[in-house]
Amino acid sequence: MAITARNLTVAYRDQAIIDDLNLTLEKKTLTLLMGPSGSGKSTLLKALAGLYPQYGGQVSGKIEIDQTAIATLKANERAKRVALLFQNPDDQFAMPTVREEFIFALENLELDKDEIDQKTAWALEKVGLTDFIDRSFVTLSGGEMQKVALAEVLALGADYLLLDEPFAAVDSQSREDLQVLLQQLSQEGYGILVSDHDPAGYFDKISQFYQLKEKALVLVPENDWSQYDYQKQTVVLKPAAESDQAQDTAYRFDNLRIQNGERLVLDQDILQIFAAGITLLTGPNGVGKSSVLKTLARLHRYEGSLTYQEQEVHAWKPRLYFGQVGLLFQSASDQFLNITVDEELDQVMAKSHHADFWTKEILDQWLSDLHLTGLGDQSVYTLSGGQQKKLQLLLMLIMAPQVLFLDEPLAGLDEQSVAVVLNLIQTCQQALGLTILVVSHQTRDLVNIVDRHLRYEQTAMAYQEEVLV
Amino acid sequence: MMNATQRMILALAISLEISLTKSVTLNVVLFSVAFLLLLIRRQPLKKIGLYVAIAIIPVLGSFWSFYLYGQGTAAENLHFGLVMGSRVLVFIFIGAWLTMGMTPYVLLASLRQNLKMSATFTYGILGALNFMPRFKQAFSSIQAAGMMRGEVLRWWQPTLYFKALVHAIKWSKNLAMAMTSHGFQEGASRSAYRDYPMAKSGWVLIVLILIALQVILFFSRY
Ligand SMILES: Nc1ncnc2c1ncn2[C@@H]1O[C@H](COP(=O)(O)OP(=O)(O)O)[C@@H](O)[C@H]1O
Ligand SMILES: [Mg+2]
């Protein structure tokens, strides 16, 4: 009784993301799958859930579920055995309320009204959300949505649960709760596979641990787990050269409150972000870092006061504001305006705030260092995840606004690219005197180029000289 | 009484009727009845006010354009202007009556059950409705992305729509995957949690109302 993948290869546009992979996922186990973003975790999980090739991806090899080829099962037969929880909790519900969503799913299994009511109640009780049945999804937090999503697939009767980075938008308390819940479910007999890029909290609960490396799975022996459960080291930043001059302030927070849905993610007394230099913002998953960046970039509502250059952020005219402030979006494709790589580069070269710095020679040099040469006519939407990220960052650094917010600029980059990208960020910052605030999990890489560190815990941020890497 | 499908059918029949006739009397009667129904069913005054506000410009607009630029005599133009203006008013308030106390979910679900409309289609529409608020957000973030690059994207520029389309395609693909993963398959048979029966009394009522319209039309002199 298991899901097995034999010689599984999954490709997009003839480019293999998963190559000749073998995996057995038994019932009554909890498996952790780790790998940097862009390594193919989502791709593997979608293939295992039987969503490919229907939704893109070329698949070869065999996937069987309890000895039946998954490709031969109808959607509602498949849903009774295997279920996928998606990375983005917002994207997985077709209906506006919890009750309607369960009805929708269970109607697919052709159950009658009584069975639907009974399964819904049973599943919600299992995740401890009985009272949530009439809530609408817009009022739920990320963690609650993931619990409802879990209850939904339990109600469908799936024995194998695949969870794709289920904690990306979940605060650390809910993350722990859910991890415990997954452990209990696996002990009851479910076969569970969770992908994550952060190993925190797993090692006393899992039964297997795989790394997704170079398009294949590497089983990590239990003795080596402790290496991944890295005792985080602390690096102490050199105190900024305060002697130079009194540090200028770019942003001032005063009693700033930010809501994300129903949840208060930031409740900040007084804080300033200094002009010029690179500030690193760290904090647990789901604490609200992206919401803070969006607020600073005038893309999210706030209460209280947040000023840029002594003027309230929402009082700035958008055009003037975005003439000085830029945000590197978490998803690269949100940054693109044109179709081809050349069109994108030409556009920013024409509009750059520092056209004197960005000569053609300098651009060509960086393109070659970033391995982006020769892509000129290619559509930006067909680049690989890593290429998109590098291009996106290059575009924003060519624009070189006075203030730049970077949301996970290293996500999905290989080691060599990380080094080039760090060099690019640092070079531009120093040459042009930019103010940069960066949010990243990859603190070990960034710590060498940052000047200050803001730590974000619960609902407040504070400067710290120590950085966990 | 009428269920959602029957109400939809009645609303369509009335709309067709007033599109093909030129009776100010009938339009005024229909508007008054719809307005009264909204009041009797205790719809919030704010909502009714909103319908009126939505109506003002198209109603006055169509009235004036036919009154001022009509081809006939002054009296004919006045009559025609009033017909067109009141027609728009009826459309809006019949629409308000149709959606009164009814969610898009109920309407789509009963249309699907009663008229055997495809489930893919109805769930597609529902998904799109759920995305609406996020779409607004996406629009402003696309505009911000433009301004960060020194481009002001106006609503008439194709870039804006191209980007919005990219978002929409991504979302709809994610939603379709989630639906499949929850056991939904195009054309597969499903059970129904709720029934939306079309009662006989509803049909009787529809017929009576349509007869009443003919009677009003028969006696109407303007
Ligand atoms: N639908 C798709 N079409 C084309 N390329 C894709 C698609 N989905 C993912 N990719 C690419 O496949 C690679 C692996 O992506 P993904 O499976 O999402 O990784 P992970 O989940 O580990 O972050 C990335 O380079 C990504 O850009
Ligand atoms: Mg992923």
Side-chain angles (χ1 to χ4, degrees):
Chain A
M1 297 295 266
I3 295 190
T4 52
R6 290 280 160 266
N7 308 107
L8 177 67
T9 298
V10 188
Y12 299 112
R13 296 184 208 91
D14 298 323
Q15 203 179 4
I17 304 293
I18 303 286
D19 200 5
D20 202 21
L21 173 147
N22 292 297
L23 170 71
T24 303
L25 182 65
E26 312 246 357
K27 282 191 185 167
K28 225 172 170 175
T29 57
L30 177 57
T31 302
L32 171 64
L33 169 66
M34 272 187 63
S37 59
S39 57
K41 301 183 295 293
S42 302
T43 303
L44 173 61
L45 265 50
K46 283 175 191 164
L48 289 177
L51 291 172
Y52 287 162
Q54 186 183 355
Y55 291 103
Q58 298 131 272
V59 181
S60 68
K62 248 203 302 212
I63 301 174
E64 287 184 343
I65 180 159
D66 301 339
Q67 274 98 47
T68 316
I70 197 153
T72 63
L73 291 172
K74 283 199 284 186
N76 60 2
E77 283 300 318
R78 213 159 54 207
K80 284 186 219 166
R81 304 175 186 211
V82 59
L84 175 61
L85 254 69
F86 293 81
Q87 194 163 356
N88 186 348
D90 283 346
D91 282 354
Q92 52 197 341
F93 305 112
M95 293 291 133
T97 70
V98 176
R99 187 191 292 275
E100 296 304 335
E101 178 66 25
F102 275 78
I103 292 173
F104 161 75
L106 295 169
E107 280 179 345
N108 292 331
L109 302 191
E110 302 185 72
L111 301 182
D112 64 31
K113 181 175 185 307
D114 292 338
E115 287 172 305
I116 290 178
D117 283 336
Q118 177 243 319
K119 290 214 173 194
T120 306
W122 169 80
L124 282 174
E125 193 191 333
K126 210 147 177 82
V127 300
L129 292 185
T130 302
D131 297 341
F132 280 59
I133 184 153
D134 283 311
R135 293 280 291 273
S136 78
F137 286 110
V138 287
T139 68
L140 301 190
S141 71
E144 289 163 348
M145 277 198 245
Q146 290 295 27
K147 278 191 198 167
V148 173
L150 193 58
E152 184 175 4
V153 302
L154 293 178
L156 283 165
D159 303 314
Y160 300 100
L161 312 179
L162 313 173
L163 296 90
D164 190 7
E165 298 202 38
F167 307 125
V170 171
D171 64 276
S172 44
Q173 184 57 48
S174 310
R175 179 188 163 97
E176 276 176 46
D177 295 349
L178 271 157
Q179 283 174 329
V180 171
L181 184 61
L182 291 180
Q183 183 187 22
Q184 282 167 6
L185 289 172
S186 72
Q187 286 163 352
E188 284 175 29
Y190 290 91
I192 303 179
L193 174 65
V194 193
S195 84
D196 208 325
H197 60 247
D198 177 1
Y202 283 109
F203 290 107
D204 56 344
K205 305 187 180 71
I206 56 173
S207 37
Q208 272 186 118
F209 174 25
Y210 285 103
Q211 281 269 68
L212 190 53
K213 263 200 188 136
E214 282 146 26
K215 306 177 184 179
L217 287 178
V218 181
L219 181 67
V220 183
E222 193 160 349
N223 295 332
D224 296 346
W225 290 1
S226 56
Q227 289 174 17
Y228 291 86
D229 199 8
Y230 34 69
Q231 308 303 319
K232 290 209 165 188
Q233 300 168 339
T234 324
V235 171
V236 180
L237 293 179
K238 291 187 276 315
E242 321 236 3
S243 48
D244 296 16
Q245 48 193 257
Q247 296 178 331
D248 288 334
T249 301
Y251 284 88
R252 215 180 282 282
F253 298 55
D254 190 352
N255 240 317
L256 179 69
R257 286 177 310 285
I258 302 176
Q259 297 265 139
N260 195 350
E262 301 275 289
R263 194 161 68 92
L264 182 72
V265 293
L266 188 79
D267 187 359
Q268 185 77 44
D269 280 349
I270 303 267
L271 185 87
Q272 37 192 319
I273 294 176
F274 297 103
I278 304 179
T279 306
L280 171 67
L281 173 59
T282 67
N285 267 336
V287 72
K289 292 168 300 218
S290 289
S291 301
V292 168
L293 280 200
K294 281 196 196 133
T295 307
L296 288 164
R298 214 181 169 284
L299 290 170
H300 195 100
R301 296 194 46 217
Y302 65 86
E303 287 170 50
S305 167
L306 172 67
T307 60
Y308 172 60
Q309 295 188 343
E310 313 299 332
Q311 189 182 330
E312 202 57 47
V313 164
H314 61 59
W316 275 80
K317 280 226 167 65
R319 248 176 102 167
L320 297 177
Y321 193 70
F322 292 119
Q324 301 201 26
V325 177
L327 167 66
L328 187 88
F329 291 97
Q330 201 164 39
S331 153
S333 62
D334 288 350
Q335 207 93 49
F336 299 140
L337 296 181
N338 300 290
I339 315 267
T340 70
V341 175
D342 271 348
E343 285 167 359
E344 287 289 76
L345 289 169
D346 291 346
Q347 193 274 336
V348 286
M349 288 297 276
K351 297 278 178 167
S352 171
H353 297 292
H354 290 279
D356 44 338
F357 175 84
W358 281 101
T359 60
K360 188 84 185 71
E361 291 73 49
I362 296 217
L363 172 64
D364 285 341
Q365 185 56 50
W366 281 113
L367 281 175
S368 124
D369 289 353
L370 289 166
H371 295 299
L372 292 176
T373 331
L375 297 174
D377 290 336
Q378 203 173 324
S379 155
V380 291
Y381 295 100
T382 62
L383 298 176
S384 79
Q387 287 170 329
Q388 284 189 340
K389 199 82 216 169
K390 289 187 280 187
L391 177 64
Q392 177 200 14
L393 187 73
L394 182 61
L395 294 174
M396 286 315 283
L397 284 169
I398 296 176
M399 275 314 291
Q402 196 49 50
V403 178
L404 195 51
F405 300 113
L406 308 178
D407 199 353
E408 298 288 353
L410 307 180
L413 298 184
D414 55 80
E415 257 171 70
Q416 192 263 342
S417 298
V418 166
V420 181
V421 159
L422 289 175
N423 187 7
L424 173 64
I425 296 175
Q426 189 173 33
T427 306
C428 293
Q429 191 281 322
Q430 287 175 352
L432 308 173
L434 308 180
T435 303
I436 294 180
L437 178 68
V438 49
V439 166
S440 176
H441 287 102
Q442 280 138 289
T443 48
R444 192 168 299 186
D445 300 311
L446 272 160
V447 75
N448 300 313
I449 68 162
V450 304
D451 303 301
R452 302 179 193 87
H453 171 223
L454 263 179
R455 180 70 192 169
Y456 185 176
E457 295 274 3
Q458 286 168 6
T459 59
M461 303 187 286
Y463 282 99
Q464 264 184 14
E465 283 182 358
E466 303 84 34
V467 186
L468 284 177
V469 298
Chain B
M1 286 317 236
M2 289 180 280
N3 81 351
T5 305
Q6 290 168 316
R7 275 165 73 171
M8 179 90 174
I9 289 172
L10 178 60
L12 285 175
I14 293 177
S15 307
L16 190 67
E17 177 94 50
I18 62 167
S19 308
L20 298 175
T21 56
K22 298 194 183 99
S23 164
V24 179
T25 316
L26 177 63
N27 290 356
V28 169
V29 169
L30 283 171
F31 163 73
S32 313
V33 172
F35 193 85
L36 273 175
L37 280 174
L38 292 182
L39 285 179
I40 292 170
R41 292 293 191 79
R42 299 194 181 281
Q43 297 297 296
L45 287 179
K46 233 168 115 183
K47 209 163 158 187
I48 299 181
L50 182 70
Y51 292 131
V52 174
I54 293 174
I56 285 178
I57 292 181
V59 168
L60 289 182
S62 48
F63 169 74
W64 279 117
S65 58
F66 284 96
Y67 179 53
L68 292 180
Y69 307 111
Q71 304 288 317
T73 65
E76 279 167 0
N77 287 347
L78 176 64
H79 177 248
F80 205 54
L82 286 173
V83 168
M84 297 312 276
S86 57
R87 197 180 275 178
V88 174
L89 202 60
V90 175
F91 284 146
I92 289 172
F93 276 85
I94 290 288
W97 165 78
L98 176 64
T99 52
M100 177 176 71
M102 179 157 62
T103 60
Y105 176 79
V106 170
L107 180 59
L108 285 164
S110 55
L111 285 178
R112 175 162 59 81
Q113 203 169 82
N114 299 152
L115 307 181
K116 308 274 176 282
M117 245 161 61
S118 115
T120 314
F121 175 75
T122 46
Y123 285 113
I125 302 232
L126 276 178
L129 288 175
N130 290 344
F131 278 139
M132 276 322 214
R134 287 168 69 187
F135 222 75
K136 242 170 77 185
Q137 226 174 22
F139 240 66
S140 47
S141 116
I142 294 166
Q143 282 182 313
M147 284 187 270
M148 289 170 197
R149 304 265 301 265
E151 306 279 349
V152 180
L153 300 177
R154 304 279 186 201
W155 59 267
W156 61 80
Q157 281 173 311
T159 310
L160 201 54
Y161 298 96
F162 172 72
K163 296 291 299 180
L165 206 65
V166 172
H167 276 274
I169 289 172
K170 196 161 82 183
W171 286 338
S172 63
K173 193 169 159 185
N174 286 347
L175 180 64
M177 274 197 273
M179 284 170 61
T180 306
S181 162
H182 292 148
F184 181 80
Q185 187 166 345
E186 226 173 309
S189 63
R190 312 174 71 242
S191 60
Y193 182 83
R194 294 192 190 87
D195 280 324
Y196 300 93
M198 295 194 281
K200 282 229 178 62
S201 60
W203 292 121
V204 173
L205 192 61
I206 290 178
V207 171
L208 287 179
I209 292 173
L210 292 178
I211 291 175
L213 295 192
Q214 307 313 314
V215 173
I216 296 171
L217 268 177
F218 183 77
F219 287 108
S220 126
R221 290 282 161 267
Y222 192 73

